[in-house]
Amino acid sequence: MYAAMKAVRQYGLEGVRIQNVSELAGISPGAIYRYFDGKDQLLAECFTYVDKQAAEIFEHLKLTPLAMVKDPMGAVKGLWLPYFRFWVARPDETIFYHRFRDSAFFPKYDKSRDVTYFKTFIGMVGLFKKVFPRLDQINQDLLWLHVLTSTVMYAKYVVEGILPNDQKTEDTVFQLLSTGLSGYLKPEKGGKSEPKTRR
């Protein structure tokens, strides 16, 4: 699968062939066909594999409602930064993932895929929406296309050398992605989302 992702980086999603993958993997094309029906299944399995790895990042992160209310953007950055760095550290996977999501293959694959491995992340989103009810005003598909897909796109620019891999780039990308969220990350006055203070 790593050879397939490397091959996509070299030849493009449409241009890659099983022969290219077999050469990079150092095995025969026939050996690949023992495990995969063809190129489409191989690429879909690669995408699922990387998608699951990305989802695992959120298994190790913690959120508390109090911390979210005290520093909403800090809470968002605490989730976003490990995700962004995951992609920057994996050039072949990042370029493959971006190209696959942007391809004609993706809509058909997306309709049938199982995304239960994002359960922890979805739980975090639910917590954000509970603490900041205004987030419900945003079309959820648009919200996650904006944040997650844009993050992968910027990481792709970093691994391709178009953007530098440094703190300033991280900060700027985060600011660009989060600016639109800032107006929604405010607890409603008098609502359940405001933390109780001790007197």
Side-chain angles (χ1 to χ4, degrees):
M1 289 187 351
Y2 283 111
M5 290 186 276
K6 192 178 282 295
V8 167
R9 186 177 181 184
Q10 288 182 19
Y11 302 103
L13 203 68
E14 301 291 342
V16 72
R17 300 286 176 260
I18 289 292
Q19 182 68 36
N20 307 134
V21 178
S22 71
E23 287 168 4
L24 285 169
I27 58 175
S28 71
I32 295 174
Y33 283 111
R34 274 187 234 141
Y35 297 97
F36 303 99
D37 293 338
K39 178 177 120 171
D40 290 359
Q41 187 197 6
L42 172 58
L43 297 180
E45 291 289 337
C46 288
F47 185 89
T48 301
Y49 174 73
V50 178
D51 210 30
K52 284 182 178 178
Q53 282 193 313
E56 281 179 25
I57 294 165
F58 301 103
E59 302 288 334
H60 310 290
L61 304 176
K62 302 287 180 221
L63 273 181
T64 65
L66 184 60
M68 291 163 69
V69 172
K70 285 174 93 172
D71 183 11
M73 296 318 290
V76 173
K77 191 167 188 178
L79 297 180
W80 175 81
L81 196 55
Y83 186 73
F84 182 67
R85 288 179 176 169
F86 168 87
W87 294 111
V88 169
R90 293 162 177 80
D92 292 335
E93 291 95 316
T94 300
I95 291 170
F96 163 79
Y97 190 91
H98 185 270
R99 287 180 179 171
F100 190 89
R101 274 201 70 118
D102 205 31
S103 73
F105 294 104
F106 187 72
K108 182 181 174 187
Y109 164 82
D110 194 39
K111 284 179 187 171
S112 61
R113 72 176 171 145
D114 171 23
V115 290
T116 54
Y117 48 83
F118 269 105
K119 186 173 75 173
T120 299
F121 176 72
I122 291 165
M124 290 175 170
V125 171
L127 183 58
F128 264 101
K129 288 166 73 174
K130 189 173 180 182
V131 174
F132 306 110
R134 293 179 192 183
L135 284 171
D136 273 329
Q137 298 170 14
I138 307 175
N139 176 302
Q140 297 302 296
D141 290 337
L142 181 60
L143 175 61
W144 303 118
L145 279 172
H146 168 64
V147 177
L148 301 180
T149 307
S150 297
T151 297
V152 176
M153 178 189 69
Y154 282 119
K156 177 176 131 1
Y157 291 150
V158 170
V159 301
E160 289 177 333
I162 295 167
L163 293 174
N165 185 7
D166 59 18
Q167 187 68 52
K168 186 176 178 184
T169 299
E170 283 182 357
D171 292 343
T172 303
V173 169
F174 178 73
Q175 190 168 2
L176 286 169
L177 290 175
S178 62
T179 298
L181 284 177
S182 59
Y184 295 94
L185 296 179
K186 293 177 181 162
E188 292 190 356
K189 298 197 181 213
K192 293 178 183 174
S193 58
E194 287 190 324
K196 292 180 180 175
T197 55
R198 293 184 179 180
R199 296 183 184 246

